[in-house]
Amino acid sequence: MPLPEILAPVGGSEQLIAAVRTGANAVYLGGVNFNARRNAANFANTDLIDAVSYCHARGVKVYVTVNTIVLDGELSALEQEAEIIAQSGADAVILQDMAALKLFALRYPSLLRLASTQTAVHNVDGARFLESIGFDSIVLARELSLSEIEAICASVSIQKEAFIHGAHCMSVSGACYLSAMLGGRSGNRGLCAQPCRLNWTSGEHPYALSLKDLSLLPHLQELAHAGVNSFKIEGRMKRPEYVAAATAACKLALEGKPYDAESLRAVFSRSGFTDGYLKGKRDGQMFGYRTKEDVTGAEGVLSSLAALYRNETPLVPVDMSFTLDETGAKLAVSDGEREATAQSGAPERAIHRALDEESAKKSLEKTGGTPFFVRSFTAKIAQGLTLPASALNALRRDALDALLSLRGKTKPHEREEFAFKTPERYQSRLERPALWARFYSKEQIARAHAFEKILVPAEEIDQSLIAQYGEKLIAQLPTVLFPADEPAFEEKLSSLARAGLCAIWANNVYGIALGSRLSLRVHGGYGLNCANTESLRFYEEQGLMSLTLSFELSMAGIKQLGGTLPRGIVSYGYLPLMQLRNCPIKASLGCAACGQSGELTDRMGVRFPVECDHYRTVSLLNSVPLDIAERNLSGLDHQLLYFTRENAQEIARVVSRFQSGEKTEEAHTTGLYYRTLL
């Protein structure tokens, strides 16, 4: 079985050199736009071509990140960036948005398409869905245990990546809106401000939303046996010494050799490292933050780490063939696919000692300072001739330079005929959007006659509820459902379907596959992060009945979307800002102290409720509800009132206001609908 590749992060040219010289098999980097680390140096047009050339010359692959959600007004810029990437000859693109997937699959089919961590693949159905729609590789959620990784890897035939070192987001990737809602800087748009790293508290416990950095280097052999093909290091915003340390350590660990764990911790960590998710030990030991000692610890190791990538590393084996006769000397070097040659003029007659094969080999195999090493050497030398060392060195230098140039030559991807359609603005047939409601529990359901659809978590639904509400009832699937819970949940949903349940609300792509398999109508949730017309068209092609748009969109952008898929928005509710597998309240205080009514407090003393999803995961809710009852939402098909902890009286008041279009006088937010999101 071939060893998994080491995939290293690259934020700029220095990091690129560090990654390549310390043993990366592939690197991932961003262009100017549409990448999830827009504040990194990244690579513009000519820089990207040079980066790909540099890597390919040394046998290293290049994956370009195009992993942000895209707005309609950016589709033209996306097409331009896609052309730049294709012309660079990069090996693959890393994608989140379905519009970007469609563009690369249909226009540049030879470019491999890798699913970003932002697609939030965390179970078997999600992995199978991404494989079915044209991804060549998936990246597994960081929150998975080893057995869960093994289950997902066994379920698909495409390549599987796993993060093995670097920062740990508290939320499942792609399901975090904290930075966007609190500061207008969206993680889904590549500008996360990391508010989770500030001092949130659970009771008296500090930094309740900050995990230690991930490090799975002691488990690489286990991960390889589980089916992981690519070991991904996080850190495109990190300095080159970090990239060098992590890549070199990963290479040694993969080979079963000891690595410098102390230098790795010193160059960057948050109170050390954790492997809690992999081991299934989701507790308080996973939490940590960047201390003063963590910061000062890097000073002592930067110089030694910089030495790791100071010089070229011999990465590429070559076969050398040298000939010398009366007409001159010729050196041919081959990497197995390409061959380059260099020649010199007539040799000298030997006065003292003629050149022999051993002497020629000794001079010509000195490839230091180049990325090559000699795998085999043959020579054919006429008797009585010699060549000065300077001439042999020049032959070697010229031949290897020529081979390096051949290896780094740009090979653009061929372009097929495909272009996005100009969207025609969608108009709902309804004069005003229908009211939908989501309830956390069935006991909350009130004013049911006011709603066209009622969403309730699937676990709350039974036969009597189906009989009472019929086709009005939609089962809300968990945003996050890990493999260990998939079989039982599918059986539950299947039994509900047999009892007459007709529809589900899918807030993650796994739900599309699950709903289709059970012949249930699928309504897409805001968690699909749909933000442009092409994505709407994509989900309509997947058979969705409707879609609740991303609440990171502006209202102006919402009303300009095209396509024909019925759509709506969340117009009320304490919005879920993060999806957490390691509950910070359970980890610090325990479930008994929470009673499913816990909260976290930010550094300003503001309290944020935490909603428990049947003890599997939790959602961090916003501190105040979104409320736009008085706004004009014409052009939409539905507006969703997302109830969480409200009692019957509060629900009745909200419904009444939305029916009359009355503005609330209580503390609230209008979300991002009327703000400019960066």
Side-chain angles (χ1 to χ4, degrees), residues 439-457:
F439 297 97
Y440 174 62
S441 68
K442 60 185 177 183
E443 288 78 19
Q444 279 181 307
I445 299 177
R447 304 287 290 269
H449 63 277
F451 306 118
E452 180 184 79
K453 299 291 183 184
I454 295 174
L455 279 63
V456 182

Side-chain angles (χ1 to χ4, degrees), residues 442 445-446 448-449 454 456 464-473:
K442 60 185 177 183
I445 299 177
H449 63 277
I454 295 174
V456 182
S464 64
L465 210 63
I466 295 171
Q468 185 174 1
Y469 296 112
E471 292 197 3
K472 181 180 283 192
L473 186 65

Side-chain angles (χ1 to χ4, degrees), residues 84-101:
I84 290 170
I85 295 169
Q87 289 298 313
S88 77
D91 300 277
V93 283
I94 302 174
L95 309 171
Q96 173 189 12
D97 198 287
M98 296 307 167
L101 171 66

Side-chain angles (χ1 to χ4, degrees), residues 510-533:
Y510 83 84
I512 302 174
L514 178 56
S516 175
R517 187 164 63 251
L518 298 180
S519 299
L520 292 165
R521 294 196 289 269
V522 180
H523 298 268
Y526 62 82
L528 297 180
N529 293 323
C530 186
N532 60 66
T533 299

Side-chain angles (χ1 to χ4, degrees), residues 561-610:
L561 291 171
T564 59
L565 182 65
R567 74 284 311 268
I569 62 168
V570 180
S571 59
Y572 170 84
Y574 291 84
L575 295 178
L577 303 183
M578 300 179 102
Q579 297 292 331
L580 318 174
R581 191 175 197 188
N582 189 352
C583 176
I585 299 174
K586 178 182 178 181
S588 57
L589 304 175
C591 289
C594 171
Q596 297 195 54
S597 60
E599 59 188 19
L600 299 182
T601 306
D602 74 3
R603 64 195 177 106
M604 307 301 291
V606 179
R607 296 178 176 181
F608 290 71
V610 174

Side-chain angles (χ1 to χ4, degrees), residues 29-63:
L29 49 82
V32 177
N33 303 301
F34 309 112
N35 77 87
R37 293 292 183 269
R38 283 163 59 192
N39 286 329
N42 294 315
F43 294 81
N45 189 355
T46 54
D47 293 334
L48 180 59
I49 292 173
D50 290 344
V52 174
S53 177
Y54 175 86
C55 289
H56 283 183
R58 291 156 178 80
V60 175
K61 295 178 181 178
V62 178
Y63 307 153

Side-chain angles (χ1 to χ4, degrees), residues 344-410:
S344 69
E348 301 172 0
R349 280 284 167 187
I351 298 175
H352 300 294
R353 183 180 176 185
L355 185 68
D356 57 21
E357 181 173 344
E358 183 179 350
S359 300
K361 180 181 180 182
K362 187 175 180 180
S363 292
L364 292 172
E365 69 179 2
K366 293 178 181 178
T367 58
T370 78
F372 300 106
F373 65 92
V374 178
R375 176 172 51 196
S376 69
F377 180 86
T378 59
K380 188 176 181 180
I381 302 172
Q383 291 185 349
L385 301 178
T386 191
L387 206 61
S390 59
L392 289 170
N393 291 339
L395 279 172
R396 181 188 64 245
R397 182 176 58 251
D398 292 347
L400 293 179
D401 284 349
L403 183 59
L404 192 66
S405 179
L406 285 174
R407 289 175 58 85
K409 188 176 180 181
T410 300

